Amino acid sequence: VDSFEGERNNKHKEVQDKHDLQVIHLDSLPNKWVDYLPKSEMLVLHDIFPEGIQIPESFAGKNIIHLPTMKTHVFTTMTGAMKNAFGGLLNHKRHWTHSVIHETLVDLLKIQKEIHAEILAVTDATFAGDGPGPRAMQWHIKNLILVSKDQVAIDAVCAHLMGFDPFSIKFIKLAHDEGLGCGDINKIQIVGDSINNEKWNFNSGMDTLASKGQKLIYWGPLKPLEKMLLRSPIVG
């Protein structure tokens, strides 16, 4: 995905230019990728990147606002605030982590808590995506906006709304157990509209042809070929 093309097609650039906003593209100057040694114990990132973990230089000390869209995902059941960091905090080799994606999201939340002054998530559920997300989805109008400083809690509420048990989703349970937030839907304070009667019965069990092939590599019989197929010059 080209971020310059994205800001034009999604009409971001018109707003940026109108208000004279400073824009940083993570794959271009003035941003640089710099080495970072996490203070927290990593579950998998040190194994995936033995040469060292890199983060965007521009992130350190900044407040961050995540703007995820509520939707299902073929690898993580649902994707929201925690998964949002996957696209910004990891470099161009982030696809190397897909076979341990749940542990990766927990590691990324640990790093975020170390480098950011504050973290806020604003999840857009005005339209919510069902099916083989994040690309091939059916859209449903739900007209909800969710906001939280707790990345684990907001993802747990999203999972609950979509009809999933939050603790059945590995990255939510792991993050809860690590003390990174609250994934227990019964202990999360909901302010505003009640969600008691909301259960949408979304389906994340569907697959696309591409995701079927990827799952064979990540967790199936092609696992021994993962490094050759996904971490070699063959795939850039």
Side-chain angles (χ1 to χ4, degrees):
V1 177
D2 183 285
S3 60
F4 290 94
E5 182 179 357
E7 70 176 355
R8 292 193 303 270
N9 292 345
N10 292 321
K11 312 301 182 185
H12 297 167
K13 193 170 190 314
E14 296 173 11
V15 179
Q16 294 158 188
D17 292 345
K18 179 178 179 179
H19 297 283
D20 194 26
L21 298 176
Q22 180 187 12
V23 178
I24 294 176
H25 292 262
L26 297 180
D27 54 355
S28 304
L29 293 175
N31 180 72
K32 294 185 293 184
W33 289 82
V34 295
D35 294 334
Y36 182 75
L37 181 62
K39 302 177 181 66
S40 305
E41 181 180 354
M42 296 287 98
L43 299 178
V44 293
L45 286 188
H46 284 314
D47 296 328
I48 300 295
F49 304 111
E51 72 281 6
I53 297 169
Q54 289 195 322
I55 65 170
E57 184 180 44
S58 55
F59 276 19
K62 298 291 197 309
N63 294 313
I64 198 81
I65 301 176
H66 289 296
L67 302 172
T69 302
M70 188 189 294
K71 54 188 178 288
T72 51
H73 196 283
V74 291
F75 297 144
T76 54
T77 305
M78 58 81 63
T79 173
M82 286 182 63
K83 182 70 164 56
N84 208 58
F86 185 80
L89 198 53
L90 285 177
N91 64 16
H92 63 281
K93 295 179 181 178
R94 57 182 176 267
H95 65 280
W96 288 14
T97 68
H98 272 147
S99 62
V100 285
I101 186 63
H102 293 275
E103 293 84 355
T104 295
L105 299 188
V106 174
D107 282 350
L108 292 179
L109 183 54
K110 290 179 179 180
I111 292 174
Q112 288 183 84
K113 286 178 172 289
E114 293 178 4
I115 67 173
H116 294 309
E118 291 285 354
I119 312 170
L120 181 71
V122 181
T123 299
D124 181 358
T126 52
F127 292 85
D130 179 21
R135 297 179 184 271
M137 293 178 293
Q138 297 82 47
W139 289 100
H140 302 272
I141 299 174
K142 295 300 180 180
N143 290 327
L144 291 177
I145 298 286
L146 295 87
V147 183
S148 180
K149 291 176 66 175
D150 186 332
Q151 313 301 292
V152 186
I154 196 169
D155 280 356
V157 172
C158 289
H160 175 80
L161 285 167
M162 286 189 277
F164 307 117
D165 172 6
F167 278 167
S168 72
I169 300 173
K170 189 176 181 181
F171 71 84
I172 294 177
K173 184 64 165 61
L174 280 172
H176 176 90
D177 290 345
E178 293 263 357
L180 300 172
C182 181
D184 187 342
I185 195 69
N186 297 311
K187 295 181 180 178
I188 298 171
Q189 181 184 8
I190 308 294
V191 178
D193 295 335
S194 172
I195 65 170
N196 291 337
N197 297 320
E198 297 281 351
K199 194 168 185 180
W200 303 340
N201 296 315
F202 278 11
N203 179 11
S204 68
M206 302 169 66
D207 269 310
T208 62
L209 180 61
S211 67
K212 287 179 181 178
Q214 287 174 289
K215 287 179 178 179
L216 289 174
I217 297 172
Y218 297 142
W219 305 296
L222 297 181
K223 178 69 175 177
L225 302 178
E226 180 183 0
K227 286 189 177 181
M228 182 185 74
L229 293 174
L230 298 179
R231 303 188 195 178
S232 72
I234 296 176
V235 292

